[in-house]
Amino acid sequence: ASMSKFVRSSKFRYVQGRAANKDDIYENINPSPTSAPDSNFIASNSKFFAIPWKGGGGPFVVHPLSCKGKLNSVPAVFQGHSAPIQDLSFSPFYESVIVSASEDSSLRVWNFEQLMDSTSPLKEDADDKCSVQLQGHSKKVMLARWNPVADGIVLSSSFDNTVRIWDANKAAEFRSIELPDSPQHIAWNYDGSLFASTCKDKILRICDPRSGSIAQKVASQGGSKGAHACFLGETSMLATVGLSPQSDRQIILRDSPDITKPL
């Protein structure tokens, strides 16, 4: 068989991007090489972006969007974890609140309102005194997602085969849901009443955070790589993105009241 049978042609092979102006970029970025493969890698809101930073323990940098150009070669960092950070997510309610998920099996919720504003970078390293710890997972925490409508509610996933729901305002665990295999991606729906998870067992699950039950499940993409899930705004539709068993790129649309029948 010829190699052309297995090589897909790309419509974008000859498309070239245009570099941004020097005044519109951020330089001297030195990210951690160990972020979770299914995380967003970088988090941002209307005032800041945050990124796990290379260094001992689990440092990360929060930088104002208004301060373009070169970051300091050794910038001030937030440091409270004992192992690398896997994911970061800003609160949808407070622009100076961010949650970090780490290989040390914990999460931390940070409030840096008194430490920096949107006009200048952090001046000195911030330790865990400006954070609260959420502890309960027994293995590395891979992802963290804020509930879009309930203040202080955080969803996390871990290699301990659980997804957990936390009340950050009380620094307490609200619910733990055991799964048959490692969760690879998690996503809230628009009103925060349900969340989806995809797992290493290639099953898509819809979970009820209040009861802790698995409301629905169905075989998702059958490829070797993890699938991502995303609820589509205010609609009831859910999209999963991944690879088919033949390693073709694949998007499947489903209606969340009944995910067993793709649209």
Side-chain angles (χ1 to χ4, degrees):
S2 65
M3 286 299 294
S4 61
K5 179 179 178 181
F6 304 101
V7 178
R8 303 180 188 91
S9 61
S10 172
K11 296 178 181 179
F12 304 101
R13 181 176 297 174
Y14 303 109
V15 174
Q16 295 181 351
R18 181 187 301 172
N21 294 327
K22 282 282 188 180
D23 295 337
D24 294 325
I25 64 175
Y26 305 91
E27 297 183 282
N28 278 359
I29 303 295
N30 192 14
S32 167
T34 57
S35 294
D38 295 300
S39 78
N40 292 329
F41 185 69
I42 187 169
S44 66
N45 59 21
S46 65
K47 292 184 178 180
F48 306 97
F49 73 82
I51 188 168
W53 206 254
K54 189 175 182 179
F60 68 95
V61 165
V62 175
H63 190 76
L65 293 175
S66 63
C67 298
K68 298 181 176 71
K70 288 188 176 181
L71 278 68
N72 292 332
S73 57
V74 185
V77 298
F78 290 83
Q79 178 70 276
H81 290 285
S82 58
I85 285 176
Q86 297 296 297
D87 196 25
L88 294 165
S89 180
F90 280 101
S91 165
F93 295 94
Y94 310 103
E95 291 183 304
S96 297
V97 173
I98 190 171
V99 63
S100 56
S102 171
E103 284 187 18
D104 67 8
S105 77
S106 75
L107 301 98
R108 285 189 175 274
V109 178
W110 307 76
N111 186 337
F112 56 87
E113 184 177 15
Q114 303 300 319
L115 302 178
M116 63 181 295
D117 58 33
S118 60
T119 62
S120 60
L122 187 69
K123 291 180 172 57
E124 58 184 31
D125 289 354
D127 59 21
D128 58 10
K129 292 178 183 177
C130 66
S131 71
V132 295
Q133 188 178 45
L134 306 178
Q135 198 158 20
H137 285 294
S138 59
K139 293 184 179 180
K140 64 173 68 174
V141 186
M142 304 305 292
L143 300 174
R145 298 289 183 268
W146 293 93
N147 187 289
V149 300
D151 181 15
I153 301 301
V154 178
L155 176 67
S156 64
S157 66
S158 167
F159 274 5
D160 64 5
N161 293 4
T162 68
V163 288
R164 298 180 190 237
I165 302 162
W166 309 85
D167 185 342
N169 296 322
K170 298 179 180 178
E173 182 182 308
F174 171 72
R175 182 82 66 199
S176 176
I177 302 173
E178 291 191 20
L179 299 171
D181 212 333
S182 298
Q184 294 179 317
H185 200 252
I186 49 176
W188 289 103
N189 68 349
Y190 186 78
D191 63 8
S193 61
L194 298 169
F195 67 86
S197 72
T198 59
C199 291
K200 194 175 179 180
D201 62 5
K202 304 176 184 178
I203 300 295
L204 167 67
R205 294 174 175 84
I206 304 294
C207 302
D208 184 334
R210 294 176 178 83
S211 66
S213 63
I214 296 173
Q216 299 184 68
K217 63 180 181 179
V218 68
S220 184
Q221 275 84 351
S224 58
K225 294 184 180 294
H228 283 211
C230 178
F231 285 92
L232 304 183
E234 296 183 64
T235 73
S236 61
M237 287 195 296
L238 169 69
T240 55
V241 181
L243 298 178
S244 73
Q246 293 75 36
S247 295
D248 295 318
R249 295 180 180 89
Q250 190 179 67
I251 298 176
I252 300 177
L253 294 178
R254 307 176 190 271
D255 198 7
S256 57
D258 182 7
I259 63 172
T260 60
K261 300 174 182 177
L263 297 176

